[in-house]
């Protein structure tokens, strides 16, 4: 009987860590550039205590990777099509006046001329301050251990996007408001404790 009690005492309990569910709202700093920085704000939704929460998130990541790779093998994507030659040309007022003047003088403008090069450069430089794109994702995260400073594993599930919305502006305003409300809550809690 004592051997059974010693064996039960030697079994360590499973490390229980919090598994967090959050809403992740993101917006890129600039559009159409790979590896561009992203502004983000994270809204906590729920928290559940689970054994090996970090491994649960890592298992979700492995499962999704397997399913996506399997679907690509079953139905491979078609090769990308060559870009079409027809595209919209945008001119500044100076370029338009110059084009009208040259056309009235009988000079023909060929595709690939300086007008198209200048117009593509002008459209590139006309990037808005706040790109119109806002993405929402479900973020699932869990630490690998119960002590402070342990790394977390994170898995994001894209939910939907809102095109035509000034995403950076919205994320910045939400962050400022959240910071203000957090500071106010801290001041109120500290003031109430002193009374």
């Amino acid at each position: 009987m004592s051997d059974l009690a010693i064996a039960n005492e030697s079994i360590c309990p499973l490390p229980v860590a919090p598994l967090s569910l959050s809403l992740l709202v993101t917006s890129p700093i600039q559009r159409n550039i790979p590896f561009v920085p992203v502004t983000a704000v994270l809204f906590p939704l729920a928290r559940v205590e689970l054994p090996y929460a970090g491994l649960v998130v890592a298992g979700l990541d492995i499962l999704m990777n397997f399913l996506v790779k399997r679907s690509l093998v079953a139905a491979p994507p078609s090769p990308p099509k060559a870009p079409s030659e027809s595209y919209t040309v945008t001119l500044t007022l100076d370029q338009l006046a110059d084009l009208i003047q040259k056309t009235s003088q009988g000079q023909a403008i060929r595709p690939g001329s300086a007008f198209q090069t200048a117009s593509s450069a002008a459209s590139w430089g006309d990037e808005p301050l706040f790109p119109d794109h806002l993405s929402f994702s479900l973020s699932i995260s869990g630490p690998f251990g119960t002590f402070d400073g342990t790394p977390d594993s994170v898995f994001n599930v894209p939910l939907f996007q809102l095109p035509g919305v000034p995403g950076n502006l919205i994320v910045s305003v939400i962050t400022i408001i959240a910071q203000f409300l957090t500071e106010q809550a801290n001041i109120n809690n500290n003031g109430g404790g002193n009374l």
Side-chain angles (χ1 to χ4, degrees), residues 104-117:
S104 65
Q105 294 174 356
Q107 297 177 358
I109 305 298
R110 295 173 296 146
S113 65
F115 287 108
Q116 290 182 354
T117 306

Side-chain angles (χ1 to χ4, degrees), residues 106-193:
Q107 297 177 358
I109 305 298
R110 295 173 296 146
S113 65
F115 287 108
Q116 290 182 354
T117 306
S119 66
S120 63
S123 64
W124 172 258
D126 197 21
E127 174 72 28
L129 180 61
F130 298 106
D132 51 352
H133 180 252
L134 196 62
S135 299
F136 293 83
S137 302
L138 177 66
S139 179
I140 305 169
S141 62
F144 288 111
T146 56
F147 55 91
D148 290 338
T150 182
D152 286 4
S153 58
V154 180
F155 183 73
N156 294 329
V157 181
L159 299 175
F160 59 92
Q161 292 182 352
L162 292 178
V165 174
N168 272 336
L169 180 61
I170 291 174
V171 170
S172 301
V173 169
I174 287 173
T175 304
I176 291 171
I177 292 172
Q179 182 68 40
F180 174 75
L181 293 176
T182 303
E183 294 296 329
Q184 286 298 106
N186 287 339
I187 290 171
N188 291 340
N189 288 341
N190 291 338

Side-chain angles (χ1 to χ4, degrees), residues 13-169:
L14 295 176
V16 176
L19 182 73
S20 301
L21 300 175
S22 307
L23 179 66
L24 177 65
V25 183
T26 60
S27 178
I29 298 291
Q30 192 168 2
R31 293 179 295 182
N32 304 325
I33 297 180
F35 307 111
V36 68
V38 173
T39 58
V41 63
L42 198 64
F43 295 100
L45 298 176
R47 193 173 181 161
V48 180
E49 299 287 332
L50 283 179
Y52 298 110
L55 292 180
V56 170
V57 178
L60 274 174
D61 195 13
I62 292 170
L63 177 65
M64 287 302 128
N65 272 306
F66 172 74
L67 292 176
V68 168
K69 301 288 184 187
R70 186 170 178 259
S71 68
L72 290 177
V73 169
S78 59
K81 297 179 181 177
S84 62
E85 293 297 325
S86 62
Y87 52 88
T88 304
V89 176
T90 306
L91 301 175
T92 63
L93 288 177
D94 293 336
Q95 290 173 337
L96 181 60
D98 195 26
L99 177 64
I100 292 171
Q101 181 183 6
K102 288 187 178 186
T103 305
S104 65
Q105 294 174 356
Q107 297 177 358
I109 305 298
R110 295 173 296 146
S113 65
F115 287 108
Q116 290 182 354
T117 306
S119 66
S120 63
S123 64
W124 172 258
D126 197 21
E127 174 72 28
L129 180 61
F130 298 106
D132 51 352
H133 180 252
L134 196 62
S135 299
F136 293 83
S137 302
L138 177 66
S139 179
I140 305 169
S141 62
F144 288 111
T146 56
F147 55 91
D148 290 338
T150 182
D152 286 4
S153 58
V154 180
F155 183 73
N156 294 329
V157 181
L159 299 175
F160 59 92
Q161 292 182 352
L162 292 178
V165 174
N168 272 336
L169 180 61

